[in-house]
Amino acid sequence: MADITTSKPTTGGSSMNIGKILLEGRAFFALVAIIIVFSILSPVYFSVGNFLIMSSHVAIFGLLAIGMLLVILNGGIDLSVGSTLGLSGVVAGYLMQGVEIPAAGVILYPPVWAVVLLTICLGAFVGAINGVLIAFFNVPAFVATLGMLYVARGVALLMTNGLTYNNLGGDAALGNTGFDWLGFNRIGGVPIGVIVLALVALTVGLVLARTAFGRWLYASGGNERAAELSGVPTRKVKVSVYVLSGICAAIAGLVLSSQLTSAGPTAGTTYELTAIAAVVIGGAALTGGRGNVRGTMLGAFVIGFLSDGLVIIGVSAYWQTVFTGAVIVLAVLLNSLQYGRTGR
């Protein structure tokens, strides 16, 4: 006689699946929770106009975070992005004020497109110095970028003597108007800065997902030695990610200076920590090889919408720092739980 046994369905698997979904999608769920909570606390929070304004603020952090993501995917860190942002804004402001050539007795006023191009080249140059020091001279990333943090900030202070370049709108008679369009103009109601962030995020996302460079980056970040033995040009990849990080920081400097219509040498102070926080909140592993642009953008919006929401409801700036720090610590803890289970 056959022995027929019945087993009760277990719920452990479903609960684990739900936990996995919540853990991997924590940035998205956190953003939704922030929007709901602040919409309840303030009647002006949940509106299209306010979301667009907050998104223009997020654009600065988002651009820095995209560059930081590339570096962290490679297993590195870039502490110089905030200072590069400040230096880029100062250089752009200096060029917009006019470049005096005493020997010729003339003052040159470069057009806006030239200012943007030169500023981006400056960011790439700063990133290249970081990359060469790290890839070819084996200087630890923390030390190299920390040193560049001070160098870039010092150069910005020397250029301005600690002062700020104001009125960057340019002069129509000199042909250098239009710098403020980056911070104030809109296309279809969307701020230009947000559109720039979207284009950069889309481009980097496609590069990571569809190109050999993206595969090389994930491979070198996961196991650099194995990637090198497989034929991946690990040194070139390392230099490239720091160059791209510098370019993103320079673009962020242009957007911020345009939004403020001024360029100061202290702009971007501690922004490198915010960029790292956005990447970590987005689910990237600080050990390298894990992360994506989508998660990083969600992390940037979490920080931006949280900070602006606290301002709207009138929370003290000191408590804002406490809340932001708590979110960062929680994100790192969740990352440890996620990657501690799955391993590298």
Side-chain angles (χ1 to χ4, degrees), residues 89-268:
V90 164
V91 169
Y94 171 76
L95 294 174
M96 291 297 294
Q97 302 293 320
V99 181
E100 184 177 0
I101 304 178
V106 297
I107 300 177
L108 300 179
Y109 294 92
V112 173
W113 66 265
V115 173
V116 172
L117 182 60
L118 290 172
T119 303
I120 291 176
C121 289
L122 171 66
F125 176 71
V126 173
I129 294 176
N130 284 331
V132 169
L133 287 173
I134 296 166
F136 291 95
F137 293 94
N138 296 321
V139 179
F142 182 89
V143 177
T145 58
L146 179 63
M148 188 54 65
L149 178 154
Y150 285 105
V151 170
R153 188 70 67 187
V155 172
L157 289 167
L158 286 171
M159 288 182 63
T160 62
N161 197 26
L163 303 177
T164 299
Y165 291 120
N166 296 311
N167 189 23
L168 301 184
D171 189 341
L174 303 174
N176 67 339
T177 58
F179 187 73
D180 57 353
W181 70 271
L182 194 59
F184 293 98
N185 284 16
R186 299 190 176 202
I187 297 178
V190 180
I192 297 293
V194 178
I195 295 175
V196 171
L197 172 63
L199 292 175
V200 173
L202 179 62
T203 301
V204 173
L206 290 175
V207 168
L208 291 178
R210 303 293 180 86
T211 67
F213 176 79
R215 294 190 293 273
W216 291 346
L217 178 55
Y218 280 107
S220 60
N223 190 323
E224 185 172 8
R225 180 58 179 165
E228 188 175 6
L229 293 175
S230 300
V232 175
T234 54
R235 286 186 174 180
K236 291 182 179 179
V237 171
K238 187 165 292 187
V239 173
S240 298
V241 296
Y242 283 96
V243 169
L244 292 172
S245 178
I247 290 174
C248 289
I251 297 174
L254 289 169
V255 174
L256 179 61
S257 298
S258 183
Q259 290 179 352
L260 300 176
T261 65
S262 63
T266 59

Side-chain angles (χ1 to χ4, degrees), residues 4 13 21 38 77 87 125 156 203 207 225 228 243 332 341-342:
I4 301 176
I21 292 173
F38 285 111
I77 199 75
L87 178 60
F125 176 71
T203 301
V207 168
R225 180 58 179 165
E228 188 175 6
V243 169
V332 173
R341 290 176 178 175
T342 59

